[in-house]
Amino acid sequence: MSYDSDNIFAKILRGEIPCDKVYEDDWALAFNDINPQAPVHVLVIPKGAYVSIDDFTTDAEDAEIAGFYRAVGHVARALGVVEAGYRTLNNTGADGGQEVPHFHVHLFAGRPLGPMLSPAL
Ligand code: 5GP
């Protein structure tokens, strides 16, 4: 799948749409999800144009990958959720439930988050 530069997160990165920013560095932008699923629900996105974890881990430079995942850890520490615990999640493609075609990691925290998935059918 080729990258759609009109996706909503690309517009947020370009500043065309506002976001509730939590953190930003050279590699990543983190902002609160517009429809939170937990008391803390932050999205961390790379600055580069990647559809999913598939092309991110195929095409991104090592420095981009390291910088991005360091930013995820930094956000968790800055939010003060490490001690109580948190969950990171990445949805990929149709079966993964990905809605926005710009690679992103969800960070959930602020309450016991329960089991990861319902039992398989
Ligand atoms: P996905 O299903 O692609 O993993 O998750 C996309 C997430 O982006 C959803 O949790 C959705 O609530 C969030 N989202 C969609 N549009 C916007 C927006 O314009 N602003 C923000 N902050 N979050 C958005």
Side-chain angles (χ1 to χ4, degrees):
M1 182 196 235
S2 61
Y3 186 80
D4 171 13
S5 57
D6 281 334
N7 79 75
I8 200 93
F9 293 171
K11 291 180 178 176
I12 287 174
L13 277 172
R14 290 195 295 269
E16 294 167 12
I17 290 178
C19 71
D20 185 10
K21 183 160 65 174
V22 171
Y23 176 73
E24 182 171 16
D25 64 18
D26 287 348
W27 307 111
L29 174 67
F31 50 91
N32 287 311
D33 196 290
I34 204 167
N35 182 24
Q37 306 294 311
V40 173
H41 184 174
V42 171
L43 300 167
V44 188
I45 72 175
K47 291 269 176 93
Y50 301 101
V51 175
S52 72
I53 197 168
D54 183 58
D55 58 338
F56 185 63
T57 56
T58 300
D59 299 335
E61 301 290 338
D62 289 355
E64 288 180 275
I65 295 171
F68 174 75
Y69 280 104
R70 285 191 192 283
V72 175
H74 177 88
V75 167
R77 289 187 294 277
L79 291 167
V81 301
V82 174
E83 190 174 342
Y86 63 98
R87 177 173 296 158
T88 56
L89 175 83
N90 160 246
N91 295 320
T92 305
D95 279 1
Q98 182 176 6
E99 293 172 7
V100 179
H102 181 110
F103 173 50
H104 52 280
V105 166
H106 298 254
L107 191 160
F108 303 103
R111 64 167 168 80
L113 294 164
M116 214 164 45
L117 291 173
S118 302
L121 296 176

